[in-house]
Amino acid sequence: MNQLMTASYHIETIGCQMNVYDSERMADHIESMGYQRANAVDAADLVIMNTCAIREKAEQKVFSYLGRLAPLKRRHPELIIAVGGCVAQQEGERILSRMPHVDLVFGTHAIRNLAQHIETIRHKRRRIVDVAMDGGAILEAPNAASAALERPSRFVTIMQGCDNYCTYCVVPHVRGPEASRHPDDILEEIRTLAHSGVREVTLLGQNVNSYGLKEGMCSFAELLRRVDQVDGLQRIRFTTSHPKDLSDELIRCFSDLGKLCGHIHLPVQSGSDRTLKRMNRKYTRKDYLNIINRLRSTRPDIAVTSDFIVGFPGETEADFQDTLSLVERVQLDGMFAFKYSDRPSAPASRFPEKISEPVKKQRLQVLLDTQELITRKKHAALVGTRQEILVEGFSKATVADNPTEPRTTPPWTGRTPQNKIVHFSDGNGNGPALAISVGKLVWITIERAFSHSLWGRPVERELDMPSAKGDHSDAS
Ligand code: SAH
Ligand code: SF4
Ligand code: F3S
């Protein structure tokens, strides 16, 4: 393949963490062709948009972004525009007819063909659609060597697709059936990442709890036990867990594994059994409450977050009240809440009794307000405690977020094992700045609580105190 010494690329990613991971794979492929990352989209010779179809809004975002690329292409006809991800999979050919300036549409299983397609387009100026679903999404071993040292926390996709067919959801239709990667490949990727400085991995799947079961390879809990052994790695997270498949074996990992963070994202979607049934979620409100009790008795400090959909077709005020009472009862650490959005390939789009937009909007607001009070209360309870933070970089938080903070240096940011965002500065204004750098574990005393983050100060002389074996940081 010709090496392109000066060509540059830009990847625009929307959607979930899996898309973030996939975009990294796309970058690996095109960098191996000689493309370099562009400083800005209008300086690029190749623009890839990695898309999301989960709600109508996400899809609209794709088409408005692509629309804005048309004048760029007129000014720079050599520009190659490629559309990948879930909207590409869903729309295929239709993207080419709707967007005459797009050169390539490649689906969720076609990432490994990306370089070859780009090469063909460069030489033959042909338009290509590749939306075959042949399982090629994760069969290749990704090039983990591209791990950037400045990003100590990385995603690792352990499975593709979904077999659950929740009635509102587009994912099984655009990502295909569930399939798990071989544990040895996953372990190899994580070892390479850890070796190049990565300290935390988040294992990704639409439902990690059913990892490996179909293939009879190994259970998710067994995989976690193996990942826990990786030298140099300090923290393990995973997402997403489906409540129906959360095993006792997995719950035990929260007490047994030193590197497993005390946080679980466990989407419930609704607190009404009637709605859960019509969503095809296969658990009840009581099952969910029961799981939360088991998790908390195994790991008392575990943080629990969840996803909710309001305004599912047929959702009555009483159903919504059931959701609110579940939220009050569980006392979650945080939530993502969405207004139900019709997806044409999902059966709920044909369910009667659609909920009006104003009602959806009002329910969403009430739900978010209810959670906000709970989150604030939980955050306030952390003031005065010491928390272990993995330093991820400089904070974007502004002085306005915390006007009393002495601003000798830009504030750092990182997360607690419970996934709470903490900002802190490395000096107290009176003495030399303490040695903090990206990728270190530091102990912070929490001093102030906000609704989305916490502010704190390093615990003196306890910097870089590791929580687990295998600390490879270079603290002196
Ligand atoms: N596999 C994960 C989540 C996938 S999508 C799981 O099972 O939980 C992320 C979230 O988007 C879902 O949890 C759900 O809350 C929301 N979502 C999915 N489809 C939606 C739709 N049609 N309308 C609104 N929200 C939706
Ligand atoms: Fe969608 Fe349900 Fe699969 Fe999650 S488990 S991806 S919500 S079908
Ligand atoms: Fe969106 Fe596809 Fe993820 S639809 S949420 S990018 S799996």
Side-chain angles (χ1 to χ4, degrees):
M1 213 172 271
N2 289 347
Q3 290 287 300
L4 304 160
M5 294 321 291
T6 54
S8 63
Y9 71 93
H10 173 83
I11 303 182
E12 186 73 21
T13 307
I14 58 172
C16 63
Q17 291 121 323
M18 259 182 206
N19 263 14
V20 173
Y21 179 85
D22 287 350
S23 290
E24 288 175 8
R25 301 288 71 74
M26 293 173 196
D28 290 343
H29 283 288
I30 54 181
E31 284 181 12
S32 73
M33 297 173 76
Y35 278 94
Q36 291 167 5
R37 197 173 287 268
N39 297 329
V41 56
D42 47 8
D45 303 288
L46 166 65
V47 177
I48 299 176
M49 183 172 205
N50 194 7
T51 63
C52 173
I54 200 79
R55 284 168 290 274
E56 199 182 348
K57 242 190 180 153
E59 208 175 308
Q60 283 165 355
K61 218 160 133 185
V62 172
F63 287 102
S64 71
Y65 184 86
L66 290 177
R68 289 200 302 276
L69 294 180
L72 256 183
K73 178 104 171 187
R74 277 198 295 276
R75 282 203 304 275
H76 176 20
E78 294 297 301
L79 172 67
I80 296 176
I81 301 176
V83 186
C86 296
V87 177
Q89 187 65 49
Q90 177 184 277
E91 297 297 308
E93 202 70 52
R94 284 194 292 266
I95 295 182
L96 290 193
S97 9
R98 196 168 154 187
M99 297 275 150
H101 54 293
V102 169
D103 301 283
L104 170 64
V105 176
F106 64 108
T108 53
H109 290 223
I111 297 172
R112 64 182 165 172
N113 304 333
L114 180 62
Q116 185 198 328
H117 290 325
I118 295 207
E119 194 66 8
T120 309
I121 292 164
R122 281 183 55 231
H123 293 293
K124 307 206 175 108
R125 296 310 307 182
R126 220 175 65 205
R127 302 175 88 199
I128 298 174
V129 177
D130 179 359
V131 289
M133 274 215 184
D134 55 4
I138 57 165
L139 296 181
E140 58 177 333
N143 173 14
S146 66
L149 282 171
E150 62 276 13
R151 288 166 51 220
S153 177
R154 302 288 290 247
F155 297 131
V156 175
T157 291
I158 62 167
M159 56 210 293
Q160 69 179 33
C162 182
D163 287 342
N164 291 312
Y165 290 94
C166 302
T167 52
Y168 50 79
C169 187
V170 75
V171 172
H173 309 275
V174 291
R175 291 268 173 175
E178 183 186 292
S180 299
R181 283 177 71 193
H182 197 282
D184 293 347
D185 292 343
I186 296 168
L187 264 298
E188 190 192 316
E189 182 172 338
I190 295 173
R191 279 191 208 104
T192 312
L193 288 169
H195 188 71
S196 65
V198 168
R199 294 289 166 253
E200 174 182 279
V201 290
T202 303
L203 309 181
L204 298 180
Q206 295 299 343
N207 176 16
V208 291
N209 303 155
S210 59
Y211 169 82
L213 297 182
K214 216 165 148 180
E215 291 83 1
M217 283 187 304
C218 92
S219 70
F220 181 56
E222 285 171 63
L223 178 71
L224 282 178
R225 286 177 192 276
R226 290 182 64 184
V227 176
D228 196 60
Q229 304 292 316
V230 173
D231 278 344
L233 189 71
Q234 285 163 320
R235 287 178 165 190
I236 307 168
R237 303 183 183 276
F238 58 82
T239 196
T240 300
S241 291
H242 194 306
K244 81 177 165 63
D245 296 314
L246 199 106
S247 66
D248 288 336
E249 196 196 0
L250 177 57
I251 293 178
R252 266 197 309 278
C253 288
F254 279 107
S255 63
D256 295 353
L257 304 185
K259 296 177 186 172
L260 185 59
C261 289
H263 169 227
I264 188 164
H265 184 61
L266 195 62
V268 63
Q269 314 298 355
S270 167
S272 147
D273 281 343
R274 207 179 70 88
T275 307
L276 287 171
K277 198 164 175 53
R278 287 178 314 115
M279 286 177 163
N280 193 31
R281 289 291 288 183
K282 300 195 176 84
Y283 53 83
T284 61
R285 171 192 177 93
K286 198 166 153 210
D287 295 334
Y288 190 82
L289 293 171
N290 196 353
I291 293 168
I292 302 290
N293 284 340
R294 276 152 56 215
L295 282 164
R296 285 183 172 152
S297 55
T298 305
R299 179 106 171 220
D301 69 342
I302 197 164
V304 184
T305 55
S306 194
D307 289 350
F308 290 83
I309 296 176
V310 296
F312 185 75
E315 183 187 70
T316 61
E317 189 52 39
D319 292 324
F320 178 63
Q321 290 302 324
D322 284 346
T323 294
L324 286 181
S325 75
L326 180 103
V327 169
E328 294 284 7
R329 178 98 176 258
V330 176
Q331 298 280 301
L332 294 162
D333 291 82
M335 70 160 69
F336 295 105
F338 309 99
K339 289 183 283 182
Y340 167 78
S341 167
D342 265 342
R343 303 287 63 216
S345 54
S349 65
R350 294 177 293 282
F351 287 6
E353 300 175 67
K354 291 285 160 57
I355 307 302
S356 73
E357 189 58 31
V359 171
K360 282 198 255 189
K361 204 170 157 192
Q362 184 257 342
R363 286 181 185 167
L364 181 69
Q365 199 53 54
V366 172
L367 181 57
L368 292 174
D369 289 349
T370 306
Q371 180 59 41
E372 166 125 9
L373 291 177
I374 298 170
T375 311
R376 278 183 175 269
K377 200 173 70 194
K378 290 212 162 199
H379 281 182
L382 291 172
V383 172
T385 65
R386 290 173 173 199
Q387 299 289 328
E388 183 207 72
I389 313 296
L390 175 67
V391 183
E392 290 177 24
F394 288 121
S395 161
K396 290 193 189 78
T398 63
V399 182
D401 293 332
N402 190 6
T404 61
E405 183 66 18
R407 201 40 53 93
T408 46
T409 49
W412 295 90
T413 191
R415 283 167 200 260
T416 69
Q418 283 72 24
N419 213 30
K420 313 239 183 237
I421 297 169
V422 178
H423 305 295
F424 60 98
S425 53
D426 56 1
N428 55 15
N430 306 320
L434 298 162
I436 287 171
S437 63
V438 168
K440 281 192 177 178
L441 288 174
V442 298
W443 283 90
I444 301 291
T445 304
I446 304 300
E447 296 186 331
R448 297 170 70 89
F450 300 90
S451 53
H452 298 289
S453 64
L454 300 159
W455 280 78
R457 198 172 294 285
V459 175
E460 277 194 61
R461 280 188 289 280
E462 285 190 61
L463 279 171
D464 210 38
M465 210 161 85
S467 67
K469 292 172 278 210
D471 177 29
H472 283 198
S473 62
D474 57 357
S476 50

